[in-house]
Amino acid sequence: MAFRKALRLVCGVAGGSAVLLAAVAAAESRGASPDSRCTDRLRNWTGLAVLQAAQTWTSGTSHTVSPSGNGWDDNWDKREPLALLNGKKKDKEAGDGQLAAELENNKPKATRHVFLIRHSQYNLNGHGDKERILTPLGREQAELTGQRLADLGLKYNVLIHSSMTRATETANIISKYLPEVDMVSCDLLREGAPIEPVPPVSHWKPEAVYHEDGARIEAAFRRYIHRADVKQKEDSYEIIVCHANVIRYFVCRALQFPPEGWLRMGLNNGSITWLTIRPNGRVALRTLGDSGFMPPEKLTRS
């Protein structure tokens, strides 16, 4: 027993093939019974194979993932302070002091927090949008989401929702928990196919053409996902109730990830995705599809 343990240890340690084979030979001369599979493995090792196995991670070869080469675009939302200044005035009329003052005056001071809520479970068998209403479970999910948002204790500024029935109903239920927050409906947030996903999925058959839905959803992104206006003095907390495709696309675009990767993520019904946009334009994803506030039996993705 002790020999087998020792032999297994030797089998797992890289070293010279002669040393390993000598260990086997010595064991056999003492009448021991080494593990046959391990013995065969050792005898088949060549000196080159042993050297390759023993090569250290610090032998000069990098084993880290190479950067993509795509840096962060500071002006991703076209609201970077320098970009907002008139080019001719900046170059010909304004001195260094005046330029610095204008830049300071055009710097946002507030942080925007955007809560992207996926609608609750709905009737998949409905004919058309008006019949695709929330299921009883979906209404329960919306109640739980509304309670969760209220429990966060934040001062929400607005509750925007897609004009589709399932999103409108979800927003109405959430609104019961946030009675002081104004509601706004938006057609741009309706569900659709933002961009052809990569890798392609055989079952993915959008009802609309990608370039039609994509232009609309991109317009929604540009309207709602950006750094604060320079006139905004306090941090804002905005809720947007919409759809899984829209949310996943927004996340990819906001983090400057390849937008065609949106379908690689999954979101539960009623889940909360929290984006933070700093005054300097940096974006952070605080939560993605958070539904941990729901009991397991209430979780769905349909």
Side-chain angles (χ1 to χ4, degrees):
M1 183 66 70
F3 168 79
R4 290 184 179 180
K5 290 182 179 180
L7 187 58
R8 289 193 183 98
L9 178 60
V10 172
C11 287
V13 178
S17 59
V19 174
L20 298 177
L21 293 176
V24 176
E28 292 174 341
S29 67
R30 294 195 302 270
S33 301
D35 188 304
S36 60
R37 289 175 299 177
C38 187
T39 302
D40 292 340
R41 192 181 306 121
L42 290 174
R43 291 190 181 282
N44 290 333
W45 269 26
T46 65
L48 178 59
V50 174
L51 290 174
Q52 290 175 334
Q55 186 178 23
T56 65
W57 288 87
T58 57
S59 59
T61 302
S62 174
H63 295 278
T64 59
V65 177
S66 300
S68 64
N70 299 322
W72 179 262
D73 178 11
D74 289 320
N75 195 31
W76 60 274
D77 59 351
K78 309 306 177 188
R79 295 173 184 240
E80 198 275 328
L82 187 61
L84 294 177
L85 298 181
N86 182 282
K88 293 182 179 180
K89 181 178 180 181
K90 176 181 64 178
D91 294 336
K92 297 181 179 179
E93 299 177 10
D96 292 341
Q98 184 178 346
L99 177 60
E102 290 192 30
L103 282 175
E104 187 62 30
N105 291 334
N106 280 278
K107 284 184 178 180
K109 304 297 190 296
T111 295
R112 295 185 65 228
H113 298 271
V114 182
F115 296 82
L116 302 168
I117 314 298
R118 188 190 176 194
H119 61 77
S120 301
Q121 185 190 63
Y122 67 102
N123 174 26
L124 292 170
N125 297 320
H127 298 289
D129 176 58
K130 291 185 178 180
E131 292 186 11
R132 292 174 182 171
I133 60 176
L134 297 186
T135 65
L137 174 57
R139 301 188 70 83
E140 289 184 59
Q141 292 170 338
E143 297 277 355
L144 291 167
T145 302
Q147 184 63 62
R148 173 59 175 170
L149 290 169
D151 289 344
L152 291 176
L154 301 172
K155 185 180 178 181
Y156 299 104
N157 300 79
V158 66
L159 196 169
I160 307 165
H161 62 87
S162 158
S163 57
M164 296 188 79
T165 300
R166 54 188 181 271
T168 301
E169 288 187 335
T170 301
N172 285 334
I173 294 173
I174 291 175
S175 180
K176 295 191 307 180
Y177 294 87
L178 307 169
E180 303 300 321
V181 181
D182 293 334
M183 291 180 59
V184 178
S185 179
C186 179
D187 288 335
L188 292 178
L189 293 168
R190 295 174 71 89
E191 182 64 302
I195 187 174
E196 187 172 1
V198 176
V201 181
S202 58
H203 66 268
W204 177 247
K205 297 179 181 179
E207 297 179 357
V209 180
Y210 284 112
H211 72 267
E212 293 179 352
D213 282 357
R216 172 178 55 79
I217 296 173
E218 174 63 21
F221 173 81
R222 297 185 184 190
R223 173 178 291 186
Y224 296 116
I225 310 299
H226 54 78
R227 75 192 78 189
D229 187 88
V230 66
K231 297 179 181 180
Q232 181 176 326
K233 304 303 181 183
E234 298 181 354
D235 293 352
S236 59
Y237 300 86
E238 303 159 46
I239 301 170
I240 299 178
V241 181
C242 53
H243 309 270
N245 296 356
V246 177
I247 294 172
R248 293 181 287 188
Y249 178 78
F250 278 14
V251 169
C252 287
R253 286 281 285 110
L255 297 179
Q256 299 189 24
F257 292 163
E260 65 272 16
W262 62 272
L263 197 53
R264 303 171 200 173
M265 296 178 279
L267 299 173
N268 288 335
N269 295 111
S271 62
I272 301 173
T273 295
W274 183 349
L275 284 172
T276 296
I277 310 172
R278 301 294 181 189
N280 61 3
R282 299 291 176 89
V283 181
L285 179 63
R286 298 187 65 164
T287 63
L288 175 65
D290 176 28
S291 55
F293 52 88
M294 294 189 188
E297 65 272 14
K298 304 296 183 183
L299 298 176
T300 62
R301 283 192 182 181
S302 60

